[in-house]
Amino acid sequence: MSEQQGHFEMEPVSGEPVEVDGVYKNEWGREEKLNRGDVFPADPQLGTTEWELVQLDFDNHHEGTTDPRLVPKKETTALEAHLQHPRRHPDDTKENN
């Protein structure tokens, strides 16, 4: 049981279905990657054991480039702003004050 977390909750045991993809470790230290829908296996030597989630398995779709929305844009001139959209104009009030 999980006394160190401040509450008494049982970890999943062998024979129960896996709810989250990830790497699980049993109480004897054996780690195994399990997918959602699998069944927690029994230990070959010791039988039924508790399993603890050690690492979540997720796909972040990262391409290794910066999101284009986060790249600073250059200052636009009045002509460029007008060509992008007729009602878009740079803020000229800062320059006039």
Side-chain angles (χ1 to χ4, degrees), residues 22-83:
V23 177
Y24 290 86
K25 181 172 72 171
N26 68 3
E27 49 193 321
W28 306 108
R30 180 175 146 226
E31 292 187 356
E32 191 164 334
K33 183 180 182 309
L34 300 171
N35 296 320
R36 184 177 183 180
D38 292 347
V39 175
F40 286 104
D43 191 76
Q45 296 176 340
L46 303 169
T48 303
T49 61
E50 288 186 353
W51 291 87
E52 177 185 2
L53 179 64
V54 177
Q55 179 180 355
L56 286 172
D57 183 28
F58 62 93
D59 186 12
N60 63 3
H61 303 288
H62 194 267
E63 299 171 356
T65 59
T66 304
D67 187 346
R69 297 172 292 180
L70 301 176
V71 176
K73 309 294 186 276
K74 67 174 187 137
E75 294 292 324
T76 58
T77 63
L79 177 62
E80 289 174 336
H82 183 72
L83 292 175

Short mmCIF file of all heavy atoms in Angstrom, two decimals, residues 22-83:
data_model
loop_
_atom_site.label_atom_id
_atom_site.label_comp_id
_atom_site.label_asym_id
_atom_site.label_seq_id
_atom_site.Cartn_x
_atom_site.Cartn_y
_atom_site.Cartn_z
N GLY A 22 2.44 2.96 -20.25
CA GLY A 22 3.63 3.40 -19.54
C GLY A 22 4.50 2.24 -19.10
O GLY A 22 4.26 1.09 -19.43
N VAL A 23 5.52 2.61 -18.35
CA VAL A 23 6.44 1.62 -17.79
C VAL A 23 6.03 1.40 -16.33
O VAL A 23 5.88 2.35 -15.56
CB VAL A 23 7.90 2.11 -17.86
CG1 VAL A 23 8.84 1.11 -17.21
CG2 VAL A 23 8.30 2.35 -19.31
N TYR A 24 5.84 0.14 -15.98
CA TYR A 24 5.42 -0.22 -14.63
C TYR A 24 6.50 -1.05 -13.97
O TYR A 24 7.23 -1.78 -14.63
CB TYR A 24 4.11 -1.03 -14.68
CG TYR A 24 2.91 -0.20 -15.08
CD1 TYR A 24 2.60 0.00 -16.42
CD2 TYR A 24 2.11 0.39 -14.13
CE1 TYR A 24 1.51 0.76 -16.80
CE2 TYR A 24 1.01 1.15 -14.49
CZ TYR A 24 0.71 1.33 -15.82
OH TYR A 24 -0.37 2.07 -16.18
N LYS A 25 6.57 -0.95 -12.63
CA LYS A 25 7.55 -1.71 -11.86
C LYS A 25 6.79 -2.47 -10.78
O LYS A 25 5.94 -1.90 -10.09
CB LYS A 25 8.57 -0.76 -11.24
CG LYS A 25 9.64 -1.47 -10.43
CD LYS A 25 10.73 -0.52 -10.00
CE LYS A 25 10.24 0.40 -8.92
NZ LYS A 25 11.29 1.20 -8.30
N ASN A 26 7.11 -3.77 -10.66
CA ASN A 26 6.44 -4.53 -9.61
C ASN A 26 7.21 -4.37 -8.30
O ASN A 26 8.26 -3.73 -8.25
CB ASN A 26 6.25 -5.99 -9.99
CG ASN A 26 7.53 -6.78 -10.08
OD1 ASN A 26 8.60 -6.27 -9.81
ND2 ASN A 26 7.42 -8.02 -10.49
N GLU A 27 6.68 -4.93 -7.23
CA GLU A 27 7.30 -4.73 -5.92
C GLU A 27 8.66 -5.40 -5.79
O GLU A 27 9.39 -5.14 -4.83
CB GLU A 27 6.35 -5.20 -4.82
CG GLU A 27 5.78 -6.57 -5.03
CD GLU A 27 4.62 -6.86 -4.07
OE1 GLU A 27 4.70 -6.46 -2.90
OE2 GLU A 27 3.66 -7.49 -4.51
N TRP A 28 9.06 -6.22 -6.76
CA TRP A 28 10.36 -6.87 -6.74
C TRP A 28 11.37 -6.17 -7.64
O TRP A 28 12.49 -6.64 -7.81
CB TRP A 28 10.24 -8.35 -7.12
CG TRP A 28 9.24 -9.03 -6.26
CD1 TRP A 28 8.02 -9.46 -6.63
CD2 TRP A 28 9.34 -9.31 -4.87
NE1 TRP A 28 7.34 -9.99 -5.57
CE2 TRP A 28 8.15 -9.92 -4.46
CE3 TRP A 28 10.33 -9.11 -3.91
CZ2 TRP A 28 7.91 -10.32 -3.15
CZ3 TRP A 28 10.09 -9.52 -2.61
CH2 TRP A 28 8.91 -10.11 -2.25
N GLY A 29 10.96 -5.04 -8.27
CA GLY A 29 11.89 -4.25 -9.07
C GLY A 29 11.89 -4.55 -10.55
O GLY A 29 12.62 -3.93 -11.31
N ARG A 30 11.08 -5.51 -11.01
CA ARG A 30 11.04 -5.84 -12.43
C ARG A 30 10.21 -4.79 -13.17
O ARG A 30 9.07 -4.54 -12.81
CB ARG A 30 10.42 -7.23 -12.62
CG ARG A 30 10.33 -7.66 -14.05
CD ARG A 30 9.82 -9.09 -14.15
NE ARG A 30 9.01 -9.20 -15.35
CZ ARG A 30 7.84 -9.78 -15.42
NH1 ARG A 30 7.32 -10.34 -14.36
NH2 ARG A 30 7.19 -9.83 -16.55
N GLU A 31 10.79 -4.16 -14.19
CA GLU A 31 10.09 -3.14 -14.98
C GLU A 31 9.60 -3.75 -16.28
O GLU A 31 10.27 -4.59 -16.88
CB GLU A 31 11.00 -1.95 -15.26
CG GLU A 31 11.34 -1.15 -14.04
CD GLU A 31 12.11 0.11 -14.35
OE1 GLU A 31 12.44 0.33 -15.54
OE2 GLU A 31 12.38 0.88 -13.42
N GLU A 32 8.42 -3.28 -16.71
CA GLU A 32 7.86 -3.77 -17.96
C GLU A 32 6.99 -2.69 -18.58
O GLU A 32 6.26 -1.99 -17.88
CB GLU A 32 7.01 -5.02 -17.68
CG GLU A 32 6.60 -5.73 -18.93
CD GLU A 32 6.10 -7.14 -18.66
OE1 GLU A 32 6.49 -7.73 -17.65
OE2 GLU A 32 5.31 -7.61 -19.49
N LYS A 33 7.09 -2.53 -19.92
CA LYS A 33 6.26 -1.56 -20.63
C LYS A 33 4.92 -2.23 -20.95
O LYS A 33 4.88 -3.29 -21.57
CB LYS A 33 6.94 -1.12 -21.93
CG LYS A 33 6.14 -0.06 -22.67
CD LYS A 33 6.83 0.34 -23.95
CE LYS A 33 6.09 1.41 -24.69
NZ LYS A 33 4.69 1.15 -24.92
N LEU A 34 3.85 -1.58 -20.50
CA LEU A 34 2.51 -2.12 -20.72
C LEU A 34 1.65 -1.07 -21.39
O LEU A 34 1.80 0.13 -21.15
CB LEU A 34 1.90 -2.54 -19.38
CG LEU A 34 2.65 -3.62 -18.61
CD1 LEU A 34 2.07 -3.78 -17.21
CD2 LEU A 34 2.60 -4.94 -19.35
N ASN A 35 0.74 -1.52 -22.23
CA ASN A 35 -0.18 -0.63 -22.93
C ASN A 35 -1.58 -0.77 -22.35
O ASN A 35 -1.93 -1.78 -21.74
CB ASN A 35 -0.21 -0.96 -24.42
CG ASN A 35 1.12 -0.71 -25.08
OD1 ASN A 35 1.79 0.26 -24.78
ND2 ASN A 35 1.51 -1.60 -25.97
N ARG A 36 -2.37 0.26 -22.58
CA ARG A 36 -3.75 0.26 -22.10
C ARG A 36 -4.49 -0.94 -22.68
O ARG A 36 -4.39 -1.24 -23.86
CB ARG A 36 -4.43 1.56 -22.53
CG ARG A 36 -5.82 1.69 -22.01
CD ARG A 36 -6.40 3.00 -22.41
NE ARG A 36 -7.72 3.10 -21.82
CZ ARG A 36 -8.51 4.12 -21.97
NH1 ARG A 36 -8.13 5.14 -22.68
NH2 ARG A 36 -9.69 4.13 -21.40
N GLY A 37 -5.22 -1.63 -21.83
CA GLY A 37 -5.96 -2.81 -22.26
C GLY A 37 -5.23 -4.10 -21.96
O GLY A 37 -5.86 -5.16 -21.92
N ASP A 38 -3.90 -4.05 -21.76
CA ASP A 38 -3.16 -5.25 -21.37
C ASP A 38 -3.57 -5.65 -19.95
O ASP A 38 -4.23 -4.90 -19.24
CB ASP A 38 -1.66 -5.00 -21.39
CG ASP A 38 -1.10 -4.79 -22.79
OD1 ASP A 38 -1.82 -5.08 -23.75
OD2 ASP A 38 0.05 -4.32 -22.90
N VAL A 39 -3.14 -6.81 -19.54
CA VAL A 39 -3.39 -7.28 -18.19
C VAL A 39 -2.05 -7.33 -17.46
O VAL A 39 -1.05 -7.77 -18.02
CB VAL A 39 -4.04 -8.69 -18.21
CG1 VAL A 39 -4.20 -9.23 -16.82
CG2 VAL A 39 -5.38 -8.62 -18.93
N PHE A 40 -2.03 -6.82 -16.22
CA PHE A 40 -0.80 -6.87 -15.44
C PHE A 40 -0.38 -8.32 -15.26
O PHE A 40 -1.16 -9.13 -14.78
CB PHE A 40 -0.99 -6.22 -14.07
CG PHE A 40 -1.08 -4.71 -14.13
CD1 PHE A 40 -2.29 -4.07 -14.00
CD2 PHE A 40 0.06 -3.95 -14.32
CE1 PHE A 40 -2.38 -2.69 -14.05
CE2 PHE A 40 -0.01 -2.57 -14.37
CZ PHE A 40 -1.24 -1.94 -14.24
N PRO A 41 0.85 -8.66 -15.66
CA PRO A 41 1.29 -10.05 -15.56
C PRO A 41 1.70 -10.43 -14.14
O PRO A 41 2.05 -9.57 -13.33
CB PRO A 41 2.50 -10.11 -16.50
CG PRO A 41 3.04 -8.72 -16.49
CD PRO A 41 1.86 -7.81 -16.31
N ALA A 42 1.66 -11.69 -13.88
CA ALA A 42 2.17 -12.21 -12.60
C ALA A 42 3.67 -12.39 -12.72
O ALA A 42 4.20 -12.61 -13.80
CB ALA A 42 1.49 -13.52 -12.27
N ASP A 43 4.36 -12.29 -11.60
CA ASP A 43 5.80 -12.51 -11.59
C ASP A 43 6.07 -14.00 -11.80
O ASP A 43 5.39 -14.83 -11.19
CB ASP A 43 6.38 -12.05 -10.25
CG ASP A 43 7.89 -12.02 -10.28
OD1 ASP A 43 8.43 -11.07 -10.88
OD2 ASP A 43 8.51 -12.94 -9.72
N PRO A 44 7.02 -14.34 -12.68
CA PRO A 44 7.26 -15.75 -12.98
C PRO A 44 7.64 -16.59 -11.75
O PRO A 44 7.31 -17.77 -11.68
CB PRO A 44 8.40 -15.74 -13.98
CG PRO A 44 8.63 -14.35 -14.38
CD PRO A 44 7.89 -13.47 -13.44
N GLN A 45 8.32 -16.00 -10.79
CA GLN A 45 8.76 -16.77 -9.63
C GLN A 45 7.87 -16.56 -8.40
O GLN A 45 7.67 -17.48 -7.61
CB GLN A 45 10.19 -16.39 -9.26
CG GLN A 45 11.18 -16.74 -10.33
CD GLN A 45 12.58 -16.27 -9.98
OE1 GLN A 45 12.77 -15.40 -9.15
NE2 GLN A 45 13.57 -16.86 -10.64
N LEU A 46 7.34 -15.34 -8.25
CA LEU A 46 6.64 -15.02 -7.00
C LEU A 46 5.12 -14.95 -7.15
O LEU A 46 4.42 -14.81 -6.15
CB LEU A 46 7.18 -13.71 -6.44
CG LEU A 46 8.68 -13.72 -6.20
CD1 LEU A 46 9.20 -12.34 -5.90
CD2 LEU A 46 9.00 -14.67 -5.05
N GLY A 47 4.61 -14.98 -8.36
CA GLY A 47 3.15 -14.97 -8.56
C GLY A 47 2.58 -13.56 -8.59
O GLY A 47 3.16 -12.64 -9.15
N THR A 48 1.43 -13.39 -7.96
CA THR A 48 0.70 -12.12 -7.98
C THR A 48 1.48 -11.04 -7.24
O THR A 48 1.92 -11.23 -6.11
CB THR A 48 -0.68 -12.29 -7.33
OG1 THR A 48 -1.38 -13.32 -8.02
CG2 THR A 48 -1.48 -11.02 -7.39
N THR A 49 1.65 -9.87 -7.91
CA THR A 49 2.37 -8.74 -7.30
C THR A 49 1.64 -7.45 -7.59
O THR A 49 0.79 -7.38 -8.48
CB THR A 49 3.80 -8.61 -7.87
OG1 THR A 49 3.72 -8.38 -9.27
CG2 THR A 49 4.64 -9.83 -7.60
N GLU A 50 1.98 -6.40 -6.84
CA GLU A 50 1.48 -5.06 -7.11
C GLU A 50 2.38 -4.39 -8.15
O GLU A 50 3.57 -4.64 -8.20
CB GLU A 50 1.49 -4.21 -5.84
CG GLU A 50 0.45 -4.60 -4.82
CD GLU A 50 0.41 -3.63 -3.66
OE1 GLU A 50 1.27 -2.74 -3.57
OE2 GLU A 50 -0.49 -3.77 -2.83
N TRP A 51 1.77 -3.54 -8.97
CA TRP A 51 2.52 -2.81 -10.01
C TRP A 51 2.36 -1.32 -9.77
O TRP A 51 1.28 -0.83 -9.47
CB TRP A 51 1.99 -3.18 -11.39
CG TRP A 51 2.32 -4.59 -11.76
CD1 TRP A 51 1.60 -5.71 -11.47
CD2 TRP A 51 3.46 -5.03 -12.49
NE1 TRP A 51 2.21 -6.82 -11.97
CE2 TRP A 51 3.36 -6.43 -12.62
CE3 TRP A 51 4.54 -4.40 -13.06
CZ2 TRP A 51 4.32 -7.19 -13.28
CZ3 TRP A 51 5.48 -5.15 -13.73
CH2 TRP A 51 5.37 -6.53 -13.82
N GLU A 52 3.49 -0.59 -9.95
CA GLU A 52 3.49 0.86 -9.77
C GLU A 52 3.91 1.53 -11.07
O GLU A 52 4.87 1.10 -11.72
CB GLU A 52 4.48 1.22 -8.67
CG GLU A 52 4.63 2.69 -8.43
CD GLU A 52 5.71 3.01 -7.41
OE1 GLU A 52 6.37 2.08 -6.91
OE2 GLU A 52 5.90 4.20 -7.14
N LEU A 53 3.19 2.59 -11.46
CA LEU A 53 3.53 3.35 -12.67
C LEU A 53 4.82 4.13 -12.41
O LEU A 53 4.91 4.92 -11.48
CB LEU A 53 2.40 4.29 -13.05
CG LEU A 53 2.61 5.16 -14.28
CD1 LEU A 53 2.74 4.30 -15.52
CD2 LEU A 53 1.47 6.14 -14.43
N VAL A 54 5.84 3.89 -13.25
CA VAL A 54 7.13 4.56 -13.09
C VAL A 54 7.27 5.70 -14.09
O VAL A 54 7.76 6.78 -13.76
CB VAL A 54 8.29 3.54 -13.28
CG1 VAL A 54 9.63 4.23 -13.19
CG2 VAL A 54 8.18 2.44 -12.26
N GLN A 55 6.83 5.48 -15.34
CA GLN A 55 6.99 6.48 -16.39
C GLN A 55 5.83 6.38 -17.36
O GLN A 55 5.48 5.30 -17.84
CB GLN A 55 8.31 6.24 -17.13
CG GLN A 55 8.58 7.21 -18.25
CD GLN A 55 9.89 6.92 -18.95
OE1 GLN A 55 10.64 6.04 -18.55
NE2 GLN A 55 10.16 7.65 -20.00
N LEU A 56 5.22 7.54 -17.66
CA LEU A 56 4.14 7.58 -18.64
C LEU A 56 4.71 7.46 -20.04
O LEU A 56 5.82 7.92 -20.33
CB LEU A 56 3.37 8.89 -18.54
CG LEU A 56 2.43 9.03 -17.36
CD1 LEU A 56 1.88 10.45 -17.30
CD2 LEU A 56 1.30 8.03 -17.45
N ASP A 57 3.95 6.88 -20.93
CA ASP A 57 4.34 6.76 -22.33
C ASP A 57 3.44 7.69 -23.13
O ASP A 57 2.23 7.52 -23.15
CB ASP A 57 4.16 5.31 -22.80
CG ASP A 57 4.62 5.11 -24.23
OD1 ASP A 57 5.52 5.84 -24.67
OD2 ASP A 57 4.08 4.21 -24.89
N PHE A 58 4.04 8.71 -23.76
CA PHE A 58 3.25 9.64 -24.54
C PHE A 58 4.01 10.03 -25.80
O PHE A 58 5.23 9.98 -25.85
CB PHE A 58 2.86 10.87 -23.74
CG PHE A 58 4.03 11.69 -23.27
CD1 PHE A 58 4.49 12.75 -24.02
CD2 PHE A 58 4.67 11.40 -22.08
CE1 PHE A 58 5.57 13.50 -23.59
CE2 PHE A 58 5.75 12.14 -21.65
CZ PHE A 58 6.20 13.19 -22.41
N ASP A 59 3.27 10.44 -26.81
CA ASP A 59 3.85 10.87 -28.07
C ASP A 59 3.62 12.37 -28.18
O ASP A 59 2.48 12.82 -28.25
CB ASP A 59 3.18 10.12 -29.22
CG ASP A 59 3.84 10.41 -30.55
OD1 ASP A 59 4.94 10.99 -30.56
OD2 ASP A 59 3.25 10.06 -31.58
N ASN A 60 4.69 13.15 -28.19
CA ASN A 60 4.53 14.60 -28.19
C ASN A 60 4.58 15.22 -29.58
O ASN A 60 4.46 16.42 -29.72
CB ASN A 60 5.56 15.27 -27.28
CG ASN A 60 6.97 15.04 -27.73
OD1 ASN A 60 7.22 14.43 -28.76
ND2 ASN A 60 7.92 15.54 -26.96
N HIS A 61 4.79 14.43 -30.61
CA HIS A 61 4.81 14.91 -32.01
C HIS A 61 5.80 16.05 -32.20
O HIS A 61 5.57 16.94 -33.00
CB HIS A 61 3.42 15.36 -32.45
CG HIS A 61 2.38 14.32 -32.32
ND1 HIS A 61 2.31 13.23 -33.14
CD2 HIS A 61 1.36 14.16 -31.43
CE1 HIS A 61 1.30 12.47 -32.79
NE2 HIS A 61 0.71 13.02 -31.75
N HIS A 62 6.89 16.05 -31.49
CA HIS A 62 7.85 17.14 -31.58
C HIS A 62 8.74 16.97 -32.79
O HIS A 62 9.27 15.89 -33.02
CB HIS A 62 8.70 17.19 -30.31
CG HIS A 62 9.46 18.46 -30.18
ND1 HIS A 62 10.74 18.59 -30.63
CD2 HIS A 62 9.12 19.65 -29.68
CE1 HIS A 62 11.17 19.82 -30.40
NE2 HIS A 62 10.19 20.48 -29.82
N GLU A 63 8.90 18.02 -33.58
CA GLU A 63 9.69 17.96 -34.81
C GLU A 63 11.07 18.55 -34.64
O GLU A 63 11.86 18.55 -35.57
CB GLU A 63 8.95 18.69 -35.93
CG GLU A 63 7.59 18.09 -36.23
CD GLU A 63 6.79 18.95 -37.19
OE1 GLU A 63 7.25 20.04 -37.55
OE2 GLU A 63 5.69 18.52 -37.55
N GLY A 64 11.38 19.13 -33.51
CA GLY A 64 12.69 19.71 -33.28
C GLY A 64 12.84 21.13 -33.78
O GLY A 64 13.93 21.64 -33.88
N THR A 65 11.73 21.79 -34.11
CA THR A 65 11.79 23.18 -34.56
C THR A 65 10.93 24.04 -33.64
O THR A 65 10.04 23.55 -32.97
CB THR A 65 11.26 23.33 -36.00
OG1 THR A 65 9.91 22.87 -36.05
CG2 THR A 65 12.10 22.53 -36.98
N THR A 66 11.22 25.34 -33.63
CA THR A 66 10.44 26.26 -32.82
C THR A 66 9.10 26.51 -33.48
O THR A 66 9.00 26.63 -34.70
CB THR A 66 11.20 27.60 -32.68
OG1 THR A 66 12.48 27.32 -32.14
CG2 THR A 66 10.47 28.57 -31.78
N ASP A 67 8.07 26.60 -32.67
CA ASP A 67 6.74 26.90 -33.17
C ASP A 67 6.77 28.25 -33.88
O ASP A 67 7.24 29.24 -33.31
CB ASP A 67 5.76 26.94 -32.00
CG ASP A 67 4.31 27.08 -32.42
OD1 ASP A 67 4.06 27.40 -33.60
OD2 ASP A 67 3.43 26.86 -31.58
N PRO A 68 6.31 28.33 -35.13
CA PRO A 68 6.40 29.60 -35.86
C PRO A 68 5.66 30.74 -35.19
O PRO A 68 5.99 31.91 -35.39
CB PRO A 68 5.80 29.29 -37.24
CG PRO A 68 5.30 27.91 -37.19
CD PRO A 68 5.75 27.27 -35.94
N ARG A 69 4.68 30.45 -34.37
CA ARG A 69 3.96 31.51 -33.67
C ARG A 69 4.82 32.17 -32.60
O ARG A 69 4.53 33.27 -32.16
CB ARG A 69 2.69 30.95 -33.02
CG ARG A 69 1.70 30.41 -34.06
CD ARG A 69 0.56 29.72 -33.40
NE ARG A 69 1.08 28.48 -32.78
CZ ARG A 69 0.35 27.62 -32.11
NH1 ARG A 69 -0.94 27.83 -31.95
NH2 ARG A 69 0.88 26.53 -31.61
N LEU A 70 5.90 31.50 -32.17
CA LEU A 70 6.75 32.04 -31.11
C LEU A 70 7.97 32.78 -31.65
O LEU A 70 8.70 33.40 -30.89
CB LEU A 70 7.23 30.90 -30.20
CG LEU A 70 6.12 30.11 -29.52
CD1 LEU A 70 6.71 28.96 -28.73
CD2 LEU A 70 5.30 31.00 -28.61
N VAL A 71 8.19 32.75 -32.96
CA VAL A 71 9.33 33.44 -33.56
C VAL A 71 8.99 34.92 -33.69
O VAL A 71 7.93 35.27 -34.23
CB VAL A 71 9.65 32.83 -34.95
CG1 VAL A 71 10.77 33.61 -35.63
CG2 VAL A 71 10.00 31.37 -34.82
N PRO A 72 9.85 35.84 -33.20
CA PRO A 72 9.55 37.27 -33.31
C PRO A 72 9.45 37.71 -34.77
O PRO A 72 10.23 37.29 -35.62
CB PRO A 72 10.73 37.96 -32.63
CG PRO A 72 11.57 36.89 -32.07
CD PRO A 72 11.10 35.58 -32.55
N LYS A 73 8.48 38.54 -35.04
CA LYS A 73 8.28 39.05 -36.40
C LYS A 73 9.00 40.38 -36.55
O LYS A 73 9.20 41.11 -35.60
CB LYS A 73 6.78 39.26 -36.68
CG LYS A 73 5.90 38.07 -36.36
CD LYS A 73 6.18 36.89 -37.25
CE LYS A 73 5.22 35.76 -37.05
NZ LYS A 73 5.47 34.84 -35.99
N LYS A 74 9.38 40.71 -37.78
CA LYS A 74 10.03 42.00 -38.03
C LYS A 74 8.97 43.10 -37.98
O LYS A 74 7.77 42.85 -38.11
CB LYS A 74 10.73 41.99 -39.38
CG LYS A 74 9.78 41.91 -40.57
CD LYS A 74 10.54 42.05 -41.87
CE LYS A 74 9.51 42.14 -42.99
NZ LYS A 74 9.80 43.13 -43.95
N GLU A 75 9.44 44.32 -37.78
CA GLU A 75 8.53 45.46 -37.75
C GLU A 75 7.94 45.67 -39.15
O GLU A 75 8.67 45.66 -40.15
CB GLU A 75 9.26 46.73 -37.31
CG GLU A 75 9.75 46.67 -35.87
CD GLU A 75 8.61 46.68 -34.89
OE1 GLU A 75 7.59 47.35 -35.14
OE2 GLU A 75 8.73 45.99 -33.86
N THR A 76 6.64 45.85 -39.25
CA THR A 76 6.01 46.05 -40.55
C THR A 76 5.85 47.54 -40.83
O THR A 76 5.58 48.33 -39.93
CB THR A 76 4.63 45.38 -40.60
OG1 THR A 76 3.82 45.92 -39.57
CG2 THR A 76 4.74 43.90 -40.45
N THR A 77 6.03 47.90 -42.09
CA THR A 77 5.81 49.29 -42.49
C THR A 77 4.33 49.47 -42.80
O THR A 77 3.57 48.50 -42.88
CB THR A 77 6.65 49.62 -43.73
OG1 THR A 77 6.19 48.80 -44.81
CG2 THR A 77 8.13 49.39 -43.48
N ALA A 78 3.91 50.72 -42.98
CA ALA A 78 2.51 51.00 -43.26
C ALA A 78 2.08 50.35 -44.58
O ALA A 78 0.97 49.83 -44.69
CB ALA A 78 2.27 52.51 -43.31
N LEU A 79 2.96 50.34 -45.58
CA LEU A 79 2.63 49.74 -46.86
C LEU A 79 2.46 48.23 -46.73
O LEU A 79 1.50 47.66 -47.24
CB LEU A 79 3.70 50.06 -47.90
CG LEU A 79 3.49 49.42 -49.28
CD1 LEU A 79 2.18 49.92 -49.90
CD2 LEU A 79 4.66 49.68 -50.19
N GLU A 80 3.39 47.55 -46.01
CA GLU A 80 3.28 46.10 -45.82
C GLU A 80 2.02 45.75 -45.07
O GLU A 80 1.32 44.79 -45.40
CB GLU A 80 4.50 45.57 -45.06
CG GLU A 80 5.77 45.58 -45.87
CD GLU A 80 6.97 45.18 -45.01
OE1 GLU A 80 6.90 45.34 -43.78
OE2 GLU A 80 7.95 44.71 -45.59
N ALA A 81 1.69 46.53 -44.03
CA ALA A 81 0.48 46.26 -43.25
C ALA A 81 -0.75 46.44 -44.11
O ALA A 81 -1.70 45.64 -44.03
CB ALA A 81 0.43 47.20 -42.04
N HIS A 82 -0.77 47.46 -44.95
CA HIS A 82 -1.92 47.69 -45.82
C HIS A 82 -2.07 46.57 -46.85
O HIS A 82 -3.18 46.18 -47.19
CB HIS A 82 -1.79 49.04 -46.52
CG HIS A 82 -2.97 49.37 -47.38
ND1 HIS A 82 -4.18 49.72 -46.85
CD2 HIS A 82 -3.13 49.39 -48.72
CE1 HIS A 82 -5.04 49.93 -47.83
NE2 HIS A 82 -4.42 49.75 -48.99
N LEU A 83 -0.94 46.03 -47.35
CA LEU A 83 -1.01 44.96 -48.32
C LEU A 83 -1.51 43.66 -47.67
O LEU A 83 -2.16 42.85 -48.33
CB LEU A 83 0.36 44.73 -48.96
CG LEU A 83 0.86 45.85 -49.86
CD1 LEU A 83 2.28 45.55 -50.33
CD2 LEU A 83 -0.06 46.04 -51.06
#
